[in-house]
Amino acid sequence: MEYCLTTYNLAKSYGRKPVLRNVNMHVERGAIYGFVGKNGSGKTTLIRCVTGLQRPTSGSYELFGVSDSDGASARVRKRIAAIVETPSVYPSLSAKDNMLMQCEILGIADTRRVADILDYVGLSYTDTKKVAKYSLGMRQRLGIALALVGGPDLIILDEPVNGLDPQGIVEIRELILRLNREKNMTVVISSHILGELSKLATHYGFIDAGSIVKEISAKELADKCRKSIYVEVDDIKAFSCAMQSRGIEHRVASDRSAEIYGEITVTELVALLSGYGCSLRTVREQDEDLERYFLDLIGGERS
């Protein structure tokens, strides 16, 4: 397995306040890694550490197999780009001039790719409009364009759709998918907007209170987040006996409720439970979504 980014017991404290606690993270090459956590869980701090904006208090990390303590790490770091919190742009300049400024900062003399990059993100090379007049979605796309100037293999996006309108969210989503599929770019997306993230991610890392509590592939998550039938009954023990008699997979949620994962119609269910002296009080179909999985994982509640 080839990883673009790996962290080893990475920790960061501000004074006596720990923000990251022994984080072990694994980002496969070619993945879209959804980095999931509540506000204040440590997502941005971890991004700042692995991009060199802050030093971890302890632990280490590797970029493309090169340790942060290795002398070659500065060279390898050029293969990554990041937008942390909000894109850094010059509002008084046009998109083209912002891009040319970025080339100058990075020491890139050949600026011929600038027009192609702007076109790729849906911005015009010839547009003289100042960035100050851009919508939030346009600024976000310009931020991604600036990140692409150095030709990175890994791009890290911190809350890329936060505050965008529905059209802006779709545009950023499609752009990220294109970068991954057409450019074979590995993408790490930090977000708490789980419904949107589920449309993109191939892998997930869940962080809570500064610790990674779970890493899982989208395929594995889909197997867990499957359709079920939620039921409430008057005798949970009789219900379990009835399910076991037919070999129907189920999960008892409380002393009155359960979830059924096997195939069974309501008519069949009522008849089966009746044979065990159990009455069905409530029944409904439900999908286990990413939000519910995350909240179950960290022991939270829906807002």
Side-chain angles (χ1 to χ4, degrees):
M1 192 73 65
E2 185 178 359
Y3 295 109
C4 289
L5 169 63
T6 313
T7 69
Y8 301 94
N9 295 319
L10 200 71
K12 177 67 178 178
S13 297
Y14 297 109
R16 295 183 178 180
K17 182 182 178 182
V19 179
L20 297 177
R21 307 167 187 263
N22 299 324
V23 172
N24 293 289
M25 184 180 186
H26 310 80
V27 179
E28 289 184 27
R29 186 160 193 172
I32 299 179
Y33 187 100
F35 193 29
V36 182
K38 297 182 293 186
N39 289 332
S41 60
K43 300 191 303 296
T44 299
T45 299
L46 187 139
I47 290 171
R48 286 181 173 276
C49 286
V50 300
T51 54
L53 297 175
Q54 291 182 342
R55 288 187 177 182
T57 305
S58 62
S60 63
Y61 60 90
E62 291 182 355
L63 294 171
F64 302 95
V66 177
S67 173
D68 62 310
S69 61
D70 192 306
S73 62
R75 173 180 53 79
V76 174
R77 199 181 299 282
K78 293 179 180 180
R79 297 175 62 184
I80 73 170
I83 301 177
V84 184
E85 298 181 305
T86 57
S88 296
V89 296
Y90 296 96
S92 62
L93 300 181
S94 67
K96 172 186 173 182
D97 288 339
N98 266 276
M99 294 287 283
L100 294 176
M101 183 71 73
Q102 182 75 345
C103 288
E104 185 174 341
I105 290 170
L106 296 177
I108 298 173
D110 187 352
T111 62
R112 287 175 294 180
R113 292 182 61 244
V114 166
D116 291 337
I117 294 173
L118 284 175
D119 181 64
Y120 195 84
V121 302
L123 297 174
S124 173
Y125 180 76
T126 58
D127 188 359
T128 58
K129 183 192 299 183
K130 301 295 185 288
V131 172
K133 297 182 179 180
Y134 274 19
S135 68
L136 187 58
M138 292 173 70
R139 283 190 179 217
Q140 195 65 269
R141 281 185 279 135
L142 176 58
I144 293 175
L146 292 168
L148 296 177
V149 166
D153 295 309
L154 167 64
I155 186 167
I156 302 174
L157 305 175
D158 188 15
E159 301 282 1
V161 300
N162 202 19
L164 299 188
D165 59 26
Q167 180 179 346
I169 289 173
V170 171
E171 289 173 350
I172 294 299
R173 181 206 309 156
E174 291 179 347
L175 177 56
I176 292 170
L177 288 171
R178 287 178 61 207
L179 288 171
N180 178 253
R181 294 169 181 173
E182 298 174 2
K183 307 293 186 181
N184 196 31
M185 193 170 294
T186 306
V187 186
V188 174
I189 307 173
S190 160
S191 184
H192 66 280
I193 304 175
L194 305 187
E196 183 58 33
L197 198 56
S198 66
K199 300 173 184 176
L200 289 165
T202 61
H203 297 75
Y204 295 93
F206 297 93
I207 187 170
D208 184 46
S211 298
I212 295 285
V213 292
K214 184 75 172 178
E215 285 189 309
I216 190 171
S217 72
K219 183 180 183 304
E220 291 170 328
L221 184 61
D223 290 339
K224 291 179 178 292
C225 297
R226 52 184 170 163
K227 287 185 176 181
S228 64
I229 301 172
Y230 172 82
V231 297
E232 292 180 4
V233 296
D234 63 357
D235 187 338
I236 199 68
K237 290 184 178 180
F239 166 83
S240 290
C241 289
M243 295 298 101
Q244 291 169 9
S245 72
R246 290 274 298 273
I248 297 174
E249 187 180 355
H250 65 284
R251 181 179 74 87
V252 173
S254 72
D255 59 355
R256 294 285 178 181
S257 64
E259 293 175 343
I260 301 172
Y261 298 103
E263 293 289 336
I264 187 170
T265 67
V266 174
T267 301
E268 290 172 334
L269 179 60
V270 169
L272 177 60
L273 294 181
S274 178
Y276 283 80
C278 179
S279 297
L280 184 64
R281 303 298 189 190
T282 300
V283 59
R284 66 171 181 268
E285 286 190 352
Q286 64 181 13
D287 288 320
E288 173 86 274
D289 59 13
L290 180 58
E291 178 188 2
R292 184 177 174 196
Y293 179 83
F294 174 59
L295 292 176
D296 287 345
L297 195 62
I298 66 171
E301 295 179 357
R302 288 178 189 271
S303 57

